[in-house]
Amino acid sequence: MAKKITLPLTDETIKDLKAGDSVLITGSMLTGRDAAHKRLYELLENGEKLPVDIDGEVIYYVGPAPAKPGHAVGPAGPTSSYRMDKYAPALLDRGLKGMIGKGARNQAVIDSMIKNGCVYFAAIGGAAALISNSIKKMETLAYEDLGTEAIYRFYVEDFPAIVAIDSKGNSVLVTKAVNDGKES
Amino acid sequence: MDIRIIKAAAVTDAVKKLYMDMNYYIGDDIMSALLKAEDGESSPTGKSVLSQIIENDRIAAREEVPLCQDTGMAVLFVEYGERVVIDGGSFEDAVQEGVRRAYIDGYLRKSVVDDPVFDRVNTKDNTPAIIYTTIVPGDKIKILAGCKGFGSENMSAIKMLTPSAGLEGVKKFILDTVKYAGPNPCPPIVVGVGIGGTFEKAAMLAKKATLRPINTDNSDPRYAALEKELLADINAMGFGPAGLGGDNTALGVNIEYFPTHIAGMPVAVNICCHAARHKETEI
Ligand code: SF4
């Protein structure tokens, strides 16, 4: 059975979430992918102020398709998370509490998640139309010039995801072939 | 010699329809494979992921929205009949215009940047499309079109194997590429393999292989058997749907081959996700 959770995530909720849990997320989250992450990271490196407050937030790695008339948002499934690995630890140090994407993370991100008490959720890659039905509203927060890669705020209801890596660093992602080393 | 005149607008309309349709309606080959995978999946998480993918593809078709937000970069393989003359513009422009209209009018995501290294500014209409044209006898234009997302495209690889690597070397490279990709390319995946030719020919064959329906086999029984064997080996890896574990890491393996040089055996692996969008038309 899926656990219903609300955003912002409390430390209590984060501690309760275990790798493998199915969740339905309700609340508001940020979005951002490659280009926005690069800009946020460069600002942090230069000691400058970020255009959005990420403290306590969850960020969804997504570049939505345009919304058809009558739709709140276009199809919006997750993009591959590993491309954000270079930038993620710096954002977690700044108070980011959760990330939603697809696929594996590197050890530096996992270590930073443990240190900062943070969760990584996997949304189903390629289930963009299904996922977008749980996104009720979106507004642009920053970097409008990046188009689909801008930072948006999504208001979601029962957004389906799975805890892929929990705050202890436990993971349910299969990152190595289970038959490795055996005759194939 | 008889020539046949085709209006540029007819080419544009055909290309536009191909791209809108392939993004809204998943092919029967993929849907049947997903249903079969869901039925046989032993991991409860894997089964649930597959049900959600199937549900997603049905929603996309019903609402006529893209089934995945990454509507890719457009690639077209064209067989252009030598007796065809285009009226009212060039063939190239007509195709690009079809792609442009599909991505704008069809609410598809524009994911193309103008320069790969320096500017990376979005072209805002998903052009240019990549067009491979072969001139063939006849008075028809046949278009095989696809649009792959880059989550899976980035997991692709090519290797210039040499003849001594043999069949074992070919298998190992293909399986190693899939292992390296692991949970990232949105499994269950479709694996397109191109063997032979030259460096670029192998890569083009691999791309073309991803556009062949997965319920078809290579016409050479030895390659058909290799497709089946590799599919079983990949599914034994256990990455499973969404990389969360399970029996279904791949839905299909398609191989295309071509004669090659005495010193070489190039192998290209183009990994595609379950959102394997491809469509054909003839004008
Ligand atoms: S890899 Fe395929 S299914 Fe996954 S996000 Fe990209 S296009 Fe969509």
Side-chain angles (χ1 to χ4, degrees):
Chain A
M1 244 355 263
K3 278 189 195 172
K4 295 209 175 218
I5 58 171
T6 52
L7 304 181
L9 291 173
T10 61
D11 289 339
E12 208 56 36
T13 310
I14 293 172
K15 235 179 270 152
D16 281 349
L17 291 172
K18 300 275 174 302
D21 288 350
S22 286
V23 294
L24 292 169
I25 307 172
T26 296
S28 97
M29 56 176 72
L30 303 174
T31 75
R33 48 173 292 157
D34 309 53
H37 272 79
K38 183 163 186 282
R39 288 189 186 176
L40 294 177
Y41 182 78
E42 284 168 1
L43 289 175
L44 286 177
E45 284 221 303
N46 296 330
E48 288 172 51
K49 196 175 169 310
L50 301 182
V52 288
D53 185 8
I54 59 170
D55 195 15
E57 293 280 358
V58 167
I59 195 161
Y60 180 24
Y61 302 147
V62 62
K68 264 175 97 162
H71 290 235
V73 42
T79 195
S80 302
S81 304
Y82 73 89
R83 294 194 315 271
M84 268 49 80
D85 283 356
K86 177 179 168 189
Y87 312 118
L91 299 182
L92 298 185
D93 285 344
R94 273 305 188 90
L96 190 70
K97 284 293 163 197
M99 300 165 287
I100 308 174
K102 69 171 171 94
R105 307 309 305 256
N106 69 16
Q107 196 56 46
V109 174
I110 299 173
D111 290 344
S112 174
M113 285 174 57
I114 299 170
K115 184 179 97 186
N116 291 298
C118 174
V119 224
Y120 169 54
F121 301 96
I124 299 174
L130 174 94
I131 290 171
S132 72
N133 282 348
S134 69
I135 306 166
K136 302 300 171 192
K137 207 171 104 187
M138 75 185 267
E139 51 199 44
T140 312
L141 290 188
Y143 306 146
E144 200 167 356
D145 62 298
L146 293 177
T148 183
E149 291 204 77
I151 298 181
Y152 299 100
R153 185 168 285 292
F154 275 3
Y155 296 88
V156 304
E157 274 172 38
D158 291 339
F159 176 107
I162 289 161
V163 178
I165 306 176
D166 64 26
S167 57
K168 305 247 159 29
N170 301 311
S171 169
V172 284
L173 285 161
V174 183
T175 52
K176 271 176 98 125
V178 293
N179 60 349
D180 234 11
K182 288 183 218 147
E183 199 56 30
S184 61
Chain B
M1 190 182 79
D2 286 339
I3 59 161
R4 178 170 167 235
I5 294 172
I6 297 179
K7 293 234 177 295
V11 173
T12 296
D13 289 348
V15 169
K16 177 181 176 184
K17 184 165 164 42
L18 281 176
Y19 277 92
M20 288 176 56
D21 285 356
M22 81 172 79
N23 275 293
Y24 302 159
Y25 316 115
I26 194 71
D28 293 340
D29 61 326
I30 301 294
M31 187 46 97
S32 328
L34 285 169
L35 288 166
K36 196 171 146 223
E38 183 198 26
D39 199 41
E41 179 58 61
S42 67
S43 143
T45 307
K47 213 182 180 71
S48 148
V49 168
L50 289 164
S51 317
Q52 292 182 65
I53 291 171
I54 291 164
E55 173 67 8
N56 174 74
D57 292 356
R58 289 182 175 146
I59 292 173
R62 194 167 62 230
E63 297 184 1
E64 298 191 311
V65 297
L67 55 104
C68 183
Q69 80 289 339
D70 188 351
T71 50
M73 194 163 183
V75 177
L76 304 95
F77 288 89
V78 178
E79 288 176 22
Y80 187 101
E82 59 197 0
R83 288 195 283 122
V84 175
V85 173
I86 301 291
D87 175 34
S90 77
F91 177 72
E92 165 85 25
D93 290 348
V95 172
Q96 298 291 359
E97 184 60 22
V99 169
R100 181 176 296 121
R101 288 199 195 157
Y103 278 76
I104 293 175
D105 301 348
Y107 300 96
L108 310 183
R109 197 179 79 183
K110 289 74 172 169
S111 314
V112 175
V113 293
D114 61 348
D115 173 281
V117 181
F118 298 103
D119 306 324
R120 298 196 65 89
V121 173
N122 199 299
T123 62
K124 297 211 162 77
D125 59 9
N126 222 58
T127 66
I130 296 168
I131 311 170
Y132 300 113
T133 309
T134 326
I135 309 288
V136 298
D139 64 356
K140 302 245 176 341
I141 300 175
K142 214 168 131 185
I143 303 176
L144 170 62
C147 62
K148 258 171 89 330
F150 257 57
S152 52
E153 191 76 354
N154 280 340
M155 296 291 119
S156 306
I158 187 163
K159 192 160 187 183
M160 301 306 285
L161 292 177
T162 50
S164 67
L167 174 61
E168 285 315 305
V170 171
K171 286 200 251 182
K172 184 171 185 310
F173 177 62
I174 298 166
L175 295 175
D176 283 351
T177 303
V178 173
K179 275 181 204 164
Y180 180 75
N184 293 332
C186 291
I189 58 176
V190 171
V191 183
V193 180
I195 311 177
T198 46
F199 180 73
E200 83 291 352
K201 180 72 182 178
M204 279 165 64
L205 288 172
K207 171 69 62 181
K208 208 169 174 183
T210 65
L211 305 182
R212 196 179 92 207
I214 52 171
N215 51 11
T216 58
D217 296 331
N218 189 294
S219 55
D220 182 318
R222 294 166 306 174
Y223 285 94
L226 184 56
E227 288 173 343
K228 291 211 166 58
E229 183 187 333
L230 288 166
L231 179 61
D233 287 347
I234 291 167
N235 282 331
M237 289 178 186
F239 293 112
L244 295 165
D247 312 313
N248 291 283
T249 298
L251 298 174
V253 176
N254 284 349
I255 303 176
E256 297 294 332
Y257 68 94
F258 197 80
T260 190
H261 187 276
I262 46 173
M265 194 167 60
V267 182
V269 183
N270 196 198
I271 296 193
C272 185
C273 48
H274 61 81
R277 291 149 288 186
H278 54 80
K279 218 156 178 80
E280 254 183 295
T281 195
E282 196 178 77
I283 312 172

